[in-house]
Amino acid sequence: MTHQVHAFEPPERFVAGTVGPPGERTFFLQARGGGRLVSVALEKVQVSLLAEKLEELLTEAQRRFGVDLPELAPVIGDNEPLDTPVDEEFRVGTLGLAFDVDTATVVIEAIEAGEVEPEVELGDEDEDEDDDEDDEPDEDLDRLRVRLTPQATRQFIERARRVVNAGRPPCPLCGQPLDPAGHLCPRHNGYHR
């Protein structure tokens, strides 16, 4: 079976978003450009970790390569819902991040879930590493590849954090999400809270 690489370099729009009510949300990365729309599903923790690692990547690019980073804008950026139809191309298993020094862009690659556990890789595109063993199993998996400017990356990070935090509020005692009907809090010895 042949694999597809959905490349958006750069996309017209690249966002994290959800479908469904809090507690039952499905998280997506969605890229639009050139008359194409690609949506890939992933876990909430992957979206949160992606935003965190992108922030680290931008900070490292500034430190090592002197990249000018845009200031955090007080204005809320793209807050529109996902474009429809939201058809899942694949479920993300691995997220790869790189900074391309030549073009001063961030490269995000979402790779279809295979036999391995979900993970996030952080690295520089210019560095050669001996990861040949890890790359072989992924060759036949679908991918979504997006190239963003530092400004677009900041906007993605801000929206991803808003999307992750827009779910159910956490219990003040244990941190687990509160359902509208409450939850069984381990800090209350299982009493309904």
Side-chain angles (χ1 to χ4, degrees), residues 85-99:
V86 181
D87 295 326
E88 179 182 323
E89 293 290 329
F90 59 85
R91 179 157 288 280
V92 175
T94 304
L95 291 165
L97 306 177
F99 188 80

Side-chain angles (χ1 to χ4, degrees), residues 85-188:
V86 181
D87 295 326
E88 179 182 323
E89 293 290 329
F90 59 85
R91 179 157 288 280
V92 175
T94 304
L95 291 165
L97 306 177
F99 188 80
D100 186 348
V101 179
D102 296 333
T103 59
T105 56
V106 173
V107 179
I108 302 170
E109 190 167 83
I111 304 170
E112 182 179 21
E115 301 282 328
V116 296
E117 292 294 316
E119 60 184 68
V120 172
E121 299 171 7
L122 181 63
D124 294 317
E125 204 171 79
D126 291 348
E127 294 180 4
D128 291 329
E129 296 178 7
D130 292 330
D131 288 349
D132 294 337
E133 295 173 11
D134 294 339
D135 291 340
E136 289 178 21
D138 296 340
E139 288 179 7
D140 60 342
L141 299 176
D142 289 349
R143 299 163 188 264
L144 169 63
R145 184 176 302 131
V146 178
R147 187 176 295 266
L148 301 173
T149 64
Q151 177 67 36
T153 303
R154 286 272 180 172
Q155 291 170 352
F156 174 84
I157 292 168
E158 289 175 28
R159 178 179 168 122
R161 287 181 174 155
R162 283 194 317 269
V163 166
V164 167
N165 294 330
R168 299 173 290 173
C171 172
L173 299 175
C174 69
Q176 294 179 2
L178 288 173
D179 289 322
H183 80 115
L184 295 177
C185 183
R187 302 241 43 225
H188 277 207

Side-chain angles (χ1 to χ4, degrees), residues 42-53:
L42 67 170
E43 300 296 325
K44 178 180 181 178
V45 68
Q46 288 174 299
V47 175
S48 178
L49 193 55
L50 178 59
E52 178 184 324
K53 294 299 181 184

